[in-house]
């Protein structure tokens, strides 16, 4: 009995905190309506959470007794490792970014060097703010590779060769002496776009990250859906052509071999030189280069095949496309939509909007910040 009462109380506390977190600010009457709890229960919970330092009650300023998240004095850190850059941001619990910096670094080559660079950058940003490590409440870390959900270890030798066998959260945690939450770049991009960007206020969203590789993250009711073993969203490795090219995952004809930047840049090497990167491919296409436009258009059509299947299974209202290739805008999005309307069941295709992400290369680090906030507040309950 005591157990079920305490779990009910915990559930109600989570519901109230979540409602405040999503809305930013609510009166107690609005909280009662939003959560379906009685005004008396809301009042009790708000008082308890205020005493725990999780919520704050502000009065005056036109909104009497508005309930907000407590203005904690602590700081959050977001760290985003790309294949060739490291970006660190420090923010408040209110999500305001206070300091941010990116440096070019060969992250793939060595985990130890990457982690050391991250540690130094965190300290450097803290110094510019006149703050110390002791003020940090939590750290979110993004890595561009698959993490084993059971062991937390990076497992692929071809995606991040210098990181094989490393547990990035543990290694970073040991360096900083702080709790570190790790996730892959697609999940963090989705959280960022849902918190600050193109999917703001939307609960059921699929985020596609089309950069060197192709990844996806599925948000259901505002949370990342991970599946039974953490592999949900591996859209880049669904089979489009059974007899197609060998993929780095060992399968043939994966979506990634038809739409991932690593493969697309190979297609234009013969005609445009060996140094073409994804941003350069996008730049050339935008300037009217017919070959580059064709390559991006074809990638869009292949992505459309996968998105059409996704529509029939999950029926999302919004797909946000991020990653370096998304900078191509309509050159990539229009072919995706064209194929979705051709292949998906009409009632699913009709409600789908596909838009490019708006956070660009900041999506990963902002998502890392957002991921700490969620786990920080949850662990306080
Ligand atoms: Zn694959």
């Amino acid at each position: 009995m005591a157990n079920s009462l305490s779990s009910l109380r915990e559930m109600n506390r989570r519901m109230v905190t979540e409602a405040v977190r999503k809305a930013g600010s609510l009166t107690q009457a609005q909280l009662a309506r939003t959560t379906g709890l009685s005004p008396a229960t809301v009042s009790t919970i708000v008082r308890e959470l205020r005493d725990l330092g999780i919520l704050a009650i502000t009065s005056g300023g036109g909104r009497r007794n508005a309930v907000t998240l407590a203005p904690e004095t602590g700081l959050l850190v977001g760290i985003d490792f790309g294949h060739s850059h490291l970006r660190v941001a420090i923010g408040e619990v209110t999500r305001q970014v206070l300091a941010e910096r990116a440096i070019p670094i060969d992250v793939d080559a060595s985990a130890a060097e990457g982690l050391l660079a991250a540690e130094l950058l965190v300290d450097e940003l803290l110094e510019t703010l006149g703050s110390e490590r002791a003020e940090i409440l939590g750290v979110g870390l993004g890595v561009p590779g698959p993490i084993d959900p059971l062991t937390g270890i990076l497992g692929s030798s071809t995606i991040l060769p210098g990181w094989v066998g490393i547990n990035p959260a543990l290694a970073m945690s040991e360096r900083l002496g702080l709790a570190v939450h790790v996730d892959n770049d697609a999940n963090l991009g989705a959280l960022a776009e849902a918190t600050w960007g193109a999917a703001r206020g939307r609960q059921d969203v699929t985020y596609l990250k089309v950069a060197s590789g192709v990844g996806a993250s599925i948000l259901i009711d505002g949370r990342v859906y991970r599946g039974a073993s953490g592999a949900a969203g591996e859209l880049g490795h669904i089979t489009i052509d059974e007899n197609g090219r060998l993929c780095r995952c060992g399968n043939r004809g994966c979506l990634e071999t038809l739409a991932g930047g690593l493969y697309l840049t190979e297609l234009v090497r013969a005609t445009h030189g060996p140094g073409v990167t994804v941003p350069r491919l996008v730049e050339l296409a935008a300037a009217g280069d017919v070959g580059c436009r064709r390559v991006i258009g074809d990638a869009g059509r292949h992505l459309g095949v996968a998105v059409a299947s996704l529509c029939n299974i999950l029926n999302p209202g919004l797909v946000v496309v991020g990653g370096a290739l998304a900078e191509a805008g309509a050159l990539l999005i229009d072919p995706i939509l064209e194929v979705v309307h051709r292949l998906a069941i009409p009632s699913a295709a009709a409600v789908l909007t596909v838009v490019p992400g708006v956070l660009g290369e900041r999506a990963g680090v902002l998502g890392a910040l957002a991921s700490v906030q969620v786990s920080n507040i949850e662990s306080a309950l």
Side-chain angles (χ1 to χ4, degrees), residues 23 54 57 109 155 211 230 244 290 330 338:
I54 293 166
I57 305 169
V290 286
E338 180 198 316

Side-chain angles (χ1 to χ4, degrees), residues 39-69:
T41 306
V42 165
S43 170
T44 306
I45 290 174
V46 166
R47 203 171 50 241
E48 287 170 356
L49 292 177
R50 183 199 56 193
D51 293 345
L52 284 170
I54 293 166
L55 295 181
I57 305 169
T58 53
S59 50
R63 284 197 87 171
R64 286 198 307 128
N65 299 328
V67 180
T68 57
L69 291 181

Side-chain angles (χ1 to χ4, degrees), residues 236-238 245-257 263:
H237 301 284
I238 63 169
R245 291 185 61 175
L246 195 65
C247 178
R248 58 180 168 167
C249 74
N251 207 341
R252 272 185 182 279
C254 292
L255 175 62
E256 190 165 294
T257 67
Y263 298 87

Side-chain angles (χ1 to χ4, degrees), residues 208 210 214 240-241 253-261 263-265 267-268 281 285 289-307 325 328-340 342-343:
L208 294 187
V210 194
V214 176
I240 301 289
D241 177 1
C254 292
L255 175 62
E256 190 165 294
T257 67
L258 295 159
Y263 298 87
L264 299 186
T265 48
L267 293 177
V268 293
L281 176 71
D289 183 286
V290 286
C292 293
R293 289 170 90 95
R294 175 62 192 253
V295 164
I296 291 173
D298 286 348
R301 277 180 279 281
H302 292 304
L303 288 166
V305 174
V307 174
L325 201 67
L331 291 176
L332 182 73
I333 305 283
D334 288 352
I336 294 177
L337 275 171
E338 180 198 316
V339 172
V340 167
R342 186 148 49 88
L343 301 184

Side-chain angles (χ1 to χ4, degrees), residues 12-51:
N12 289 342
R13 283 178 168 191
R14 276 175 191 275
M15 205 153 69
V16 166
T17 310
E18 192 69 4
V20 172
R21 190 177 67 78
K22 277 183 187 155
S25 164
L26 288 171
T27 64
Q28 298 208 19
Q30 286 171 325
L31 260 176
R33 278 198 297 277
T34 308
T35 58
L37 298 171
S38 74
T41 306
V42 165
S43 170
T44 306
I45 290 174
V46 166
R47 203 171 50 241
E48 287 170 356
L49 292 177
R50 183 199 56 193
D51 293 345

Side-chain angles (χ1 to χ4, degrees), residues 127-284:
E127 204 178 315
T128 64
L129 295 171
S131 299
E132 294 173 358
R133 284 192 192 182
E135 293 168 49
I136 299 173
L137 297 172
V139 180
L141 176 66
V143 289
I147 294 163
D148 185 313
L150 294 176
T151 62
I153 288 174
L154 270 160
S156 171
S157 58
T158 51
I159 296 174
L160 277 174
W163 291 64
V164 175
I166 298 278
N167 179 324
L170 192 63
M172 202 68 239
S173 176
E174 279 168 0
R175 281 189 176 275
L176 293 174
L178 294 158
V180 176
H181 170 262
V182 70
D183 211 333
N184 74 46
D185 51 349
N187 286 338
L188 294 181
L191 275 181
E193 291 288 353
T195 307
W196 286 278
R200 196 170 179 170
R202 302 290 289 260
Q203 298 292 300
D204 295 287
V205 178
T206 295
Y207 175 81
L208 294 187
K209 180 167 182 186
V210 194
S212 311
V214 176
S217 175
I218 299 159
L219 293 187
I220 295 176
D221 290 335
R223 288 178 179 273
V224 173
Y225 177 74
R226 296 178 189 278
S229 65
E234 283 295 346
L235 204 71
H237 301 284
I238 63 169
T239 307
I240 301 289
D241 177 1
E242 270 186 81
N243 303 309
R245 291 185 61 175
L246 195 65
C247 178
R248 58 180 168 167
C249 74
N251 207 341
R252 272 185 182 279
C254 292
L255 175 62
E256 190 165 294
T257 67
L258 295 159
L262 277 179
Y263 298 87
L264 299 186
T265 48
E266 263 180 40
L267 293 177
V268 293
R269 261 184 208 147
T271 47
H272 293 71
V276 180
T277 58
V278 174
R280 180 68 184 144
L281 176 71
V282 169
E283 196 179 275
L284 286 167

